[in-house]
């Protein structure tokens, strides 16, 4: 009901009038506070009630005709006393104060027993156990029970125990019979954590404070060398780190030195000491890790390569050292005994390594010619390395192996009737089979008369370097000079050529020979000498062979200072060609060109002037 409205006011007045008229009693709850509000004319315009329903008493209020209260009476019996205990809180080392209150009637004395009980807080580690009786005199409404706590140096969470009431006396009852005692930790500790930085940066160590932080505290710190040495790798520092009340962390900054030395990761330490305000040090030392920012170099080296002409020279560039970075270099070829454009294709460019790559290749094409030549070489060079890259081996040699071979034929000689053996040699590359054709050709010697013509193919197996061609000669009965013919090579197989393609075969004539025995039977009788005008003659003796160039030797005599040699032919005089000299034992070699030549019928005679005397031995004509 809204008391400010007219309807509300009329309703209140009506209720009051009814109450007054009937003499009604308005019950009220003891300990309630009822407030009445009146206007300027003394009229009741509102009431309010505060308090709790706990006493069991009743009140009576009377009003006059003007709705004014005329009396207020409280009647009834008070309830019995009730005892309750409230929770308590203290820092460790302090006292837990549990307040026990009495409600209801306080006219008589009452008491109640109490005792402590462990929770997360245990006795005697965290508090001192207590038990006993708390007594209330008449009129007393509150008492305090104290429990001592233990101040230890251990950082721990908040702990609790309980206080229990039991066995009330004096007609009292228990309201809240148990209370919780909360023990707050008053310890704190410092701990330092490790830090990492790249050289040239700062190592930032964080020091944390845990536990009770309600008061200020401090701790000392100092750096110490490890593999990192001050002042080369960092700047040594020391001091005191101050924590305000409530502050839980602070930092220590250590400056590191940025050098140019490639080195491994290094470490140093920061240690804590001398904590104040009862604080302890949980972690007293931390490691500072200094990372190197210098890059180790990569090393490039190029190797040698070889290939048969027409193939590819493949050069391998190897990287050692730091393979975790990108690296590159410039390369270019250069002529040696192998000439760019003739023996290989010149190349240049850049060889690049990505991080993690350790080998690359450079390919140089070679040129396949048909020239038989020795092994040739060229070079390839590395230059202009990228940052953090060093060239360890700057040049590689490319070896180009020839794949061509050549044939050469050498001259040959033999006495007629024997065989001319021509040697064909193969030079250059002989790793595969090859062949060449050959044929004879007349010179002063004629095929069919002086030799047998020959032709064919000479086959060389892989690795074979020589072969022979045999040409047979014909032995005739004519005294003649040396004669010649040729053997020519042609049409070599693939990757072969002819270096010396023609050879001369020399056929030597077979000399006539006979044995003359001085003083034996005459070759010609004395009568035959007279037909040549000789008055007397002495026969030389007998001959073992009297046939020469189709004629018969009928006389070899010596007369005075002449040596006579007669050929007896048929028909006309025998020819004087085909021989050039005669050797007579005791006389020596006589040239035909120095003889006196004469003919008569079918007889031809050569005479030489000589003072020597013919002896027995071998006569030869060439």
């Amino acid at each position: 009901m809204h008391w400010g409205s007219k309807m509300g006011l009329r309703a209140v007045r009506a209720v009051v009038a009814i109450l007054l008229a009937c003499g009604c009693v308005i019950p009220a709850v003891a300990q309630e506070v009822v407030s009445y509000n009146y206007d300027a004319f003394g009229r009741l315009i509102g009431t309010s009630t505060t308090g709790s329903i706990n006493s069991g008493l009743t009140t009576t209020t009377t009003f006059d005709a003007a709705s004014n209260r005329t009396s207020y009476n409280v009647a009834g019996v008070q309830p019995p006393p009730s005892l309750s205990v409230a929770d308590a809180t203290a820092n460790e080392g302090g006292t837990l104060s549990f307040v026990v209150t009495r409600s209801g009637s306080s006219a008589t004395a009452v008491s109640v027993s109490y005792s402590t009980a462990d929770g997360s807080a245990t006795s005697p580690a965290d508090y001192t156990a207590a038990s006993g009786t708390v007594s209330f005199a008449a009129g007393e409404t509150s008492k305090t029970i104290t429990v001592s706590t233990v101040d230890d140096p251990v950082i721990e969470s908040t702990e609790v125990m309980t206080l229990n009431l039991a066995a009330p006396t004096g007609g009292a009852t228990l309201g809240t019979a148990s209370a919780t005692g909360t023990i707050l930790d008053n310890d704190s500790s410092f701990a330092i954590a490790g830090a990492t930085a790249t050289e040239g940066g700062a190592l930032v160590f964080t020091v944390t404070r845990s536990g009770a932080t309600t008061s200020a505290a401090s701790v000392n710190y100092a750096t110490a060398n490890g593999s990192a040495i001050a002042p080369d790798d960092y700047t040594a520092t020391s001091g005191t780190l101050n924590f305000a009340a409530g502050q839980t962390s602070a930092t220590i900054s250590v400056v590191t030195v940025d050098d140019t030395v490639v080195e491994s990761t290094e470490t140093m330490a920061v240690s804590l000491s001398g904590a104040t305000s009862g604080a302890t040090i949980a972690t007293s030392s931390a490691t500072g890790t200094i990372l190197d920012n210098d890059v180790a170099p990569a090393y490039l080296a190029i190797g040698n390569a070889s290939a048969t002409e027409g193939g590819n020279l493949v050069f391998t560039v190897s990287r050692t050292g730091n393979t975790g970075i990108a690296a590159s270099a410039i390369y270019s070829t250069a002529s040696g005994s192998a000439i760019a454009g003739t023996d290989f294709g010149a190349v240049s460019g850049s060889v690049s390594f990505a991080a993690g790559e350790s080998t690359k290749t450079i390919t140089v094409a070679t040129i396949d010619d048909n020239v038989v030549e020795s092994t040739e070489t060229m070079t390839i060079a590395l230059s202009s390395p990228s940052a953090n890259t060093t060239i360890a081996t700057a040049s590689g040699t490319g070896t180009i192996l020839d794949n061509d071979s050549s044939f050469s034929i050498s001259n040959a000689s033999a006495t007629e009737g024997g065989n001319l053996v021509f040697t064909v040699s193969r030079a250059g590359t002989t790793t595969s089979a090859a062949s060449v054709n050959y044929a004879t050709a007349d010179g002063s010697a004629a095929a069919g008369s002086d030799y047998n013509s020959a032709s064919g193919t000479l086959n060389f197996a892989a690795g074979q370097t020589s072969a022979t061609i045999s040409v047979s000669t014909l032995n005739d009965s004519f005294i003649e000079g040396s004669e010649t013919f040729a053997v020519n090579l042609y049409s070599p197989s693939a990757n072969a050529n002819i270096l010396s393609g023609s050879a001369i075969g020399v056929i030597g004539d077979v000399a006539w020979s006979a044995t003359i025995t001085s003083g034996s039977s005459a070759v010609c009788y004395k009568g035959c000498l007279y037909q040549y005008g000789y008055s007397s003659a002495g026969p030389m003796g007998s001959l073992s062979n009297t046939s020469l160039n189709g004629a018969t030797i009928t006389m070899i005599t010596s007369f005075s200072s002449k040596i006579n040699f007669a050929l007896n032919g048929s028909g006309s005089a025998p020819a004087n060609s085909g021989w050039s000299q005669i050797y007579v034992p005791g006389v020596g070699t006589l040239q035909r060109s120095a003889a006196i030549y004469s003919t008569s019928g079918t007889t031809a005679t050569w005479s030489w002037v000589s003072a020597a005397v013919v002896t027995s031995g071998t006569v030869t004509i060439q």
Side-chain angles (χ1 to χ4, degrees):
M1 179 178 295
H2 182 52
W3 296 104
S5 66
K6 293 181 179 180
M7 289 296 296
L9 179 58
R10 292 192 186 102
V12 170
R13 288 177 177 175
V15 171
V16 173
I18 294 171
L19 292 174
L20 293 176
C22 65
C24 296
V25 177
I26 302 175
V29 179
Q31 295 183 355
E32 286 182 341
V33 177
V34 180
S35 299
Y36 299 91
N37 298 315
Y38 300 93
D39 60 14
F41 299 103
R43 294 173 295 186
L44 181 65
I45 60 174
T47 64
S48 63
T49 303
T50 61
S52 60
I53 304 173
N54 60 5
S55 64
L57 300 177
T58 59
T59 60
T60 301
T61 304
T62 60
F63 300 87
D64 59 15
S67 298
N68 297 317
R69 187 182 68 171
T70 58
S71 66
Y72 180 79
N73 297 316
V74 179
V77 180
Q78 284 188 323
S82 176
L83 300 177
S84 298
V85 64
D87 296 336
T89 299
N91 290 326
E92 65 177 23
T95 299
L96 291 167
S97 297
F98 295 91
V99 176
V100 182
T101 57
R102 174 168 67 167
S103 61
S105 174
S106 60
T108 61
V110 297
S111 66
V112 66
S113 299
Y114 67 88
S115 63
T116 56
D118 288 346
S120 56
T122 60
S123 175
D126 299 307
Y127 71 96
T128 301
S131 62
T133 301
V134 60
S135 299
F136 288 80
E140 290 182 326
T141 59
S142 70
K143 289 288 185 175
T144 300
I145 302 169
T146 60
V147 176
S148 298
T149 63
V150 177
D151 187 5
D152 59 30
V154 179
I155 295 177
E156 53 200 344
S157 60
T158 296
E159 298 174 311
V160 296
M161 47 77 67
T162 56
L163 180 74
N164 298 312
L165 300 181
T169 64
T173 61
L174 294 177
T176 300
S178 180
T180 298
T182 300
I183 304 173
L184 305 177
D185 190 33
N186 68 345
D187 301 300
S188 66
S189 70
F190 293 104
I192 185 169
T196 299
T198 300
E199 64 177 26
L203 291 165
V204 179
F205 296 85
T206 298
V207 179
T208 55
R209 181 186 182 199
S210 59
T213 60
T214 55
S215 61
S218 64
V219 65
N220 298 326
Y221 64 88
T223 55
N225 290 335
S227 56
I229 307 298
D232 295 336
D233 300 306
Y234 72 97
T235 301
T237 185
S238 61
T240 300
L241 206 58
N242 295 302
F243 285 74
Q247 184 179 353
T248 58
S249 68
T251 58
I252 301 167
S253 184
V254 177
V255 176
T256 65
V257 177
D258 187 5
D259 57 29
T260 59
V261 180
V262 176
E263 54 199 343
S264 59
T265 297
E266 297 175 310
T267 59
M268 48 77 67
V270 174
S271 298
L272 302 181
S273 62
T276 64
S277 300
T280 60
I281 298 175
T283 302
S284 61
S285 181
T287 298
T289 301
I290 304 173
L291 306 176
D292 190 33
N293 65 350
D294 301 297
V295 179
Y299 298 96
L300 301 185
I302 188 167
N304 300 323
S306 65
T308 300
E309 66 177 25
N312 289 328
L313 292 165
V314 180
F315 295 88
T316 298
V317 182
S318 301
R319 174 167 68 162
T320 57
N322 188 354
T323 59
I325 60 172
S328 65
I330 301 300
Y331 65 86
S332 60
T333 54
S335 297
S337 56
I339 306 302
T342 300
D343 300 303
F344 69 94
V347 296
S348 62
S350 175
V351 58
S352 299
F353 291 77
E357 290 183 326
S358 58
T359 59
K360 288 288 186 178
T361 57
I362 301 169
T363 300
V364 178
T366 65
I367 297 171
D368 188 5
D369 56 30
N370 60 2
V371 179
V372 176
E373 52 200 343
S374 60
T375 297
E376 298 174 311
T377 60
M378 49 75 68
T379 57
I380 186 167
L382 299 180
S383 62
S384 303
S386 58
N388 301 308
T389 302
T390 299
I391 296 177
T393 303
S395 180
T397 299
T399 301
I400 304 174
L401 307 175
D402 190 34
N403 66 349
D404 302 298
S405 62
S406 64
F407 294 105
S408 298
I409 188 169
S410 60
N411 297 330
S413 63
T415 301
E416 65 179 19
N419 291 327
L420 291 164
V421 180
F422 297 86
T423 298
V424 179
S425 300
R426 182 186 181 199
T429 301
T430 60
T431 54
S432 60
S435 63
V436 65
N437 295 327
Y438 65 90
T440 56
D442 288 348
S444 58
S449 298
D450 300 303
Y451 71 96
N452 293 313
S453 64
S455 63
T457 301
L458 204 59
N459 293 302
F460 286 72
Q464 184 179 353
T465 59
S466 67
T468 59
I469 301 169
S470 183
V471 179
S472 61
T473 64
L474 301 174
N475 187 8
D476 56 30
S477 60
F478 295 98
I479 297 295
E480 52 195 346
S482 295
E483 297 173 306
T484 62
F485 69 95
V487 176
N488 298 314
L489 302 180
Y490 65 97
S491 300
S493 57
N495 292 319
N497 57 58
I498 296 173
L499 182 63
S500 176
S502 183
I504 300 299
V506 178
I507 306 172
D509 191 32
V510 177
W512 173 88
S513 66
T515 300
I516 185 169
T517 304
S518 177
S520 63
S521 60
V523 174
C524 183
Y525 294 103
K526 185 176 180 179
C528 71
L529 292 175
Y530 287 126
Q531 73 183 65
Y532 295 109
Y534 302 129
S535 59
S536 64
M540 291 179 59
S542 63
L543 290 174
S544 62
N545 180 17
T546 60
S547 177
L548 176 63
N549 285 3
T552 300
I553 301 175
T554 61
M555 181 179 61
I556 296 181
T557 62
S558 63
F559 175 74
S560 183
S561 61
K562 289 186 179 180
I563 296 297
N564 296 314
F565 171 53
L567 290 179
N568 190 19
S570 60
S572 62
N576 61 4
S577 63
W579 64 282
S580 60
Q581 61 187 23
I582 182 171
Y583 171 80
V584 180
V587 176
T589 300
L590 304 172
Q591 300 297 323
R592 189 189 70 174
S593 59
I596 300 171
Y597 175 71
S598 63
T599 61
S600 175
T602 61
T603 300
T605 301
W606 286 266
S607 299
W608 292 267
V609 177
S610 175
V613 177
V614 176
T615 61
S616 298
T618 300
V619 179
T620 58
I621 298 177
Q622 293 180 315

